[in-house]
Amino acid sequence: MSEPGASPRPGTDSGSGPGAVGEPNAAVATGPGGSGSGRAIDPDYPVTPVPSTARKSFFSIAVVLLGFTIFTPTMLAGAAIAPAFSFAQLSLIVLVGSMILGGYVALMGWVGARTGLTTVVMARYSFGLGGAKLASILLGGTQVGWYGVVIGTIGDMTAQAFGWESWGARAAVMIVTSALMCATAYYGYRGMYWVSLVSTPLILILAVWVVFRSLQEVGGIDGLLAVAPTTSMSVTVAITTVVGTFASAGSQAPNWTRFARTGRQAIWACIIGFLIGNGLMIYFGAIGAITFGEGDFVLVLYQLGLVAWGLVLLFGNLWKSNADTAYAFGVAGAELFNRPHKGPFVIAGSIIATVLALTGVQNHLVGYLGLLGTFIPPLGGVIIGDFLARWRGGIPAAEKYQPPKVCWHNIGIYVLASAIAYVSGLLSLGIPALTGIVVALVLSYGVGRLPGGRASGRAERWHNR
């Protein structure tokens, strides 16, 4: 097993080459729009490129992304679509939706590895220094909301397991678990790696065991194939549901793939996490819904009388996923306020989210956060298209290029793509998340290739010195 923080061999430069950021000293806060004060930043490089000496192994990146997507609430998406289709139709829908999601996230991850930057810092090049604040607010704010939803869910389900009716007992569980998740995110990439490495195999073992019990319940594979649909749902809506499970969170894949040594490693890690991992969780939820009438494996384990294992699955799964969420709003906060440390924003966001959870936000915010799944993916589409058109040959060093305050053409493309995606959802035309991504990518690429659209000057290659 490779050490998660292992460095490339001396003399190699896994961060250089086409697309690498020309950052001669990534150990100080001198990224685009950075303060340039020379202050040391934390080892997760929230606002500057990840240097070659800090790049991780493929195994490490894959473990973190798989741990991110092995997320039990995703199973509820499978439970929602399963009753409307035969098992063969369901399998095709999950495959198509997962391929769309995996393809989009793989492109985002590739750009992250090539630049060494988080999504919100890459947005500075596409939207301008001021325009990037829109990305930080949307991405960071959404993750704070999801963090609160997960904390509230843990409190409610723990209370259900033990039969607690006291608000104080639920509140104590929320505060303690939030502190653990916050500490993991504060520790950074390495903390998330070890939590994922330990918890993900255990969760998969439990999930496979529940699937085996589910097959016994329904009479084996033949019984599962014989189950007839009991509700109706269009194929478009079903695929949209699959894509929407992680379209928003997947837009932040560069937060982790920027540590990859090559773009190819980032692509394969994203495929493992978002196509295979996310697809499996949807399948597991679908099978649970067909056999037990319940898509959440935690509740299935409760029904089987395995409360202790249900709690293990609940805490292990949501701990690692919410640590990733806290990390995401931490780096978004660092970009928003132009600070070289993510830690204060991890703590502040966790406190805000925990307060929201204590007020019962999990009962009211999910629909709103789902709506943001339409408006966030176009951000990624603009970043991908703009990178391919203008920055593929290399992003200049910070001292050589200062992004404009606002790139109004890309802001306009984002607004237009989001509007088209939203209207397509209202009219049930196509897949909103995919529509927004494609429109944004194509328009930003086209505008970037126009005369005068490409960045002036030649990017300096950054080599490991």
Side-chain angles (χ1 to χ4, degrees):
M1 180 179 67
S2 301
E3 168 62 27
S7 300
R9 295 188 305 275
T12 65
D13 180 32
S14 57
S16 63
V21 177
E23 186 66 34
N25 183 5
V28 295
T30 57
S35 62
S37 63
R39 294 172 295 171
I41 64 174
D42 70 25
D44 281 277
Y45 306 92
V47 292
T48 56
V50 176
S52 59
T53 54
R55 298 290 175 125
K56 315 296 184 182
S57 67
F58 168 73
F59 178 80
S60 173
I61 303 295
V63 165
V64 170
L65 288 182
L66 189 61
F68 186 38
T69 56
I70 299 297
F71 182 53
T72 53
T74 300
M75 295 190 294
L76 298 178
I81 65 177
F85 303 95
S86 68
F87 191 74
Q89 292 172 322
L90 175 69
S91 299
L92 183 59
I93 287 169
V94 173
L95 177 62
V96 172
S98 297
M99 288 179 65
I100 293 171
L101 177 64
Y104 163 63
V105 177
L107 278 174
M108 286 295 298
W110 174 75
V111 175
R114 301 281 280 182
T115 62
L117 299 172
T118 64
T119 303
V120 290
V121 176
M122 286 193 296
R124 292 177 174 179
Y125 289 95
S126 298
F127 296 103
L129 296 177
K133 306 308 178 187
L134 170 66
S136 295
I137 292 170
L138 280 175
L139 295 174
T142 303
Q143 295 307 297
V144 169
W146 274 121
Y147 188 97
V149 168
V150 170
I151 291 296
T153 300
I154 287 176
D156 289 346
M157 296 190 73
T158 303
Q160 179 180 343
F162 290 104
W164 296 337
E165 297 184 0
S166 165
W167 179 86
R170 292 198 304 274
V173 171
M174 293 179 196
I175 292 171
V176 170
T177 54
S178 180
L180 287 172
M181 295 168 182
C182 175
T184 303
Y186 189 94
Y187 191 60
Y189 182 98
R190 188 179 294 265
M192 293 182 293
Y193 169 82
W194 286 110
V195 171
S196 296
L197 188 65
V198 172
S199 65
T200 301
L202 177 60
I203 291 164
L204 287 174
I205 290 170
L206 280 172
V208 170
W209 182 81
V210 173
V211 168
F212 177 75
R213 287 285 285 109
S214 298
L215 291 176
Q216 287 183 326
E217 193 78 13
V218 81
I221 295 293
D222 291 338
L224 185 64
L225 295 175
V227 174
T230 57
T231 61
S232 62
M233 178 185 293
S234 72
V235 172
T236 298
V237 171
I239 294 176
T240 300
T241 301
V242 175
V243 175
T245 54
F246 262 91
S248 176
S251 299
Q252 304 197 66
N255 293 349
W256 300 280
T257 62
R258 63 199 173 99
F259 289 95
R261 294 173 181 170
T262 67
R264 182 176 297 177
Q265 287 184 352
I267 288 172
W268 281 108
C270 288
I271 288 173
I272 290 172
F274 288 85
L275 195 158
I276 298 176
N278 191 65
L280 281 176
M281 296 309 288
I282 294 174
Y283 257 126
F284 292 159
I287 293 173
I290 291 171
T291 56
F292 286 99
E294 176 58 65
D296 191 328
F297 274 12
V298 175
L299 297 179
V300 171
L301 288 169
Y302 286 3
Q303 289 182 20
L304 294 172
L306 302 173
V307 175
W309 283 112
L311 289 174
V312 167
L313 180 62
L314 176 68
F315 281 97
N317 178 254
L318 297 184
W319 181 358
K320 62 182 177 55
S321 296
N322 235 25
D324 291 339
T325 300
Y327 184 89
F329 61 65
V331 297
E335 192 288 323
L336 182 63
F337 293 97
N338 198 28
R339 293 292 183 268
H341 293 275
K342 70 182 183 304
F345 304 102
V346 170
I347 295 172
S350 298
I351 292 173
I352 294 171
T354 303
V355 171
L356 291 174
L358 292 173
T359 63
V361 69
Q362 68 275 16
N363 299 319
H364 306 288
L365 196 63
V366 175
Y368 167 69
L369 293 174
L371 185 63
L372 289 182
T374 298
F375 295 107
I376 288 178
L379 280 171
V382 171
I383 290 172
I384 293 169
D386 189 63
F387 176 83
L388 292 175
R390 300 201 298 148
W391 305 111
R392 192 173 180 181
I395 290 179
E399 62 271 19
K400 298 290 185 181
Y401 175 79
Q402 184 77 350
K405 185 67 176 178
V406 180
C407 294
W408 288 109
H409 61 283
N410 278 336
I411 292 286
I413 289 171
Y414 164 72
V415 171
L416 176 61
S418 297
I420 292 174
Y422 179 70
V423 172
S424 73
L426 291 179
L427 301 178
S428 299
L429 298 174
I431 302 165
L434 177 62
T435 300
I437 292 167
V438 171
V439 170
L441 193 159
V442 171
L443 290 180
S444 59
Y445 179 82
V447 171
R449 297 295 295 182
L450 292 174
R454 294 176 63 88
S456 61
R458 183 172 180 176
E460 292 187 359
R461 298 288 186 256
W462 166 48
H463 294 284
N464 189 22
R465 292 184 171 91

